[in-house]
Amino acid sequence: MSLKVDGMRLMLAILLFASAFGQAPPGSRAAQRLEEYRQSKAAALRDDFGELARYRAANARLKPAAPNEKRAVFFGDSITDMWNLTEYFPGKPYINRGISGQTTPQMLLRFRQDVIALGPKVVVILAGTNDIAGNTGPMSLEDIEANYASMAELAKANSIYVVFASIIPVHNYTPDSQDLFAQRSPQKIVELNRWLKSYCADHGDLYLDYFSAVVDEKGLLKRDLAEDGLHPNKAGYSIMARLAVAAIEKAYPDKP
């Protein structure tokens, strides 16, 4: 009986530890896959943690924004990286600066190069899901929130309007979604979104609520919007695009 109780206590402690950081329980397949991912990136991130090399050449080729150009930078992780902005926003001067797998400390490191230096009037920030997963190590909600705030403060110091997009929910409805879901606590997503919404209200930023538009009755991402439970498909991006362009137009000064 004592062994059973001790075993239950140990399992509870493991689950609580995992929940605290939003990661999958140690020893699980999801945790193993996360570790494999981290190992695959170790050498590259040792030499360029923020992955500043990714857009360095593209940034150098980019011309300064024209006086009447409503330039906006979409800044984020894989969900942004995989988003074909030309397809979803034809004719719009929107610049994609997403990098798959990134966390907020990496994004903060490249914020000056990949946002400020490009001269937008608006930045749309979508980040946090990989922090919850632990892509670059365990992070508390307070750590993530501090990085959000630092990016917002840098933007405002350079006259860039901040649009904070909510973290998109995840689902576990398909075989391909199981591990990504296990790495990302739905509760942590809700908590961070609640903080983001409050921060925006308190600091005059705009909260872009993707979450409410794509969540189902169980609090998860709608099954038909992502095959792997995390990355939006065409239907998912179409919903996001409609909301994003409305937010950018609202954020932009009402002038040519």
Side-chain angles (χ1 to χ4, degrees):
M1 184 69 175
S2 176
L3 288 175
K4 287 184 178 180
V5 171
D6 289 343
M8 290 177 64
R9 286 175 176 169
L10 177 60
M11 181 58 67
L12 178 60
I14 291 173
L15 290 173
L16 288 174
F17 176 83
S19 174
F21 296 110
Q23 294 176 274
S28 67
R29 189 183 73 164
Q32 181 180 352
R33 288 191 61 183
L34 176 62
E35 183 57 28
E36 289 171 355
Y37 167 80
R38 294 183 65 191
Q39 289 298 325
S40 73
K41 298 281 288 185
L45 297 188
R46 177 195 61 210
D47 297 332
D48 183 9
F49 179 74
E51 299 182 86
L52 277 73
R54 166 70 184 276
Y55 289 111
R56 186 171 286 134
N59 291 344
R61 293 192 300 268
L62 190 67
K63 295 179 181 180
N68 296 331
E69 181 182 330
K70 292 187 175 182
R71 177 175 292 185
V73 172
F74 282 64
F75 193 60
D77 48 43
S78 59
I79 295 174
T80 299
D81 197 359
M82 296 165 62
W83 199 348
N84 186 334
L85 300 186
T86 302
E87 176 184 353
Y88 289 87
F89 306 99
K92 299 288 187 181
Y94 297 168
I95 301 169
N96 191 319
R97 287 299 180 264
I99 297 183
S100 295
Q102 281 212 329
T103 55
T104 55
Q106 293 176 289
M107 292 173 61
L108 180 57
L109 190 62
R110 65 185 180 91
F111 196 86
R112 182 168 297 278
Q113 173 185 294
D114 288 347
V115 178
I116 296 171
L118 307 187
K121 292 298 182 184
V122 177
V123 59
V124 180
I125 301 172
L126 174 56
T129 191
N130 293 327
D131 299 65
I132 293 173
N135 278 18
T136 51
M139 291 185 63
S140 68
L141 295 184
E142 291 77 14
D143 291 336
I144 304 168
E145 292 160 4
N147 289 333
Y148 285 146
S150 292
M151 284 189 275
E153 290 166 8
L154 281 170
K156 289 178 181 178
N158 289 275
S159 302
I160 300 171
Y161 196 96
V162 178
V163 176
F164 268 124
S166 62
I167 302 175
I168 296 171
V170 290
H171 76 62
N172 61 350
Y173 298 139
T174 65
D176 289 342
S177 68
Q178 301 301 311
D179 292 335
L180 292 173
F181 179 84
Q183 294 164 4
R184 291 162 173 82
S185 161
Q187 179 185 355
K188 300 297 182 185
I189 293 174
V190 170
E191 290 179 17
L192 278 176
N193 284 342
R194 185 182 298 118
W195 185 91
L196 276 173
K197 186 174 183 179
S198 176
Y199 181 90
C200 288
D202 291 343
H203 293 82
D205 302 318
L206 199 153
Y207 179 66
L208 173 52
D209 190 5
Y210 291 143
F211 185 94
S212 296
V214 300
V215 71
D216 67 13
E217 67 281 357
K218 295 181 181 179
L220 305 182
L221 180 62
K222 292 178 181 177
R223 164 66 183 83
D224 60 348
L225 299 182
E227 280 69 39
D228 68 0
L230 173 64
H231 300 98
N233 55 22
K234 189 174 182 64
Y237 279 129
S238 294
I239 294 171
M240 292 167 60
R242 173 175 51 83
L243 297 172
V245 73
I248 292 170
E249 289 300 321
K250 184 176 180 179
Y252 233 95
D254 187 20
K255 60 181 71 172

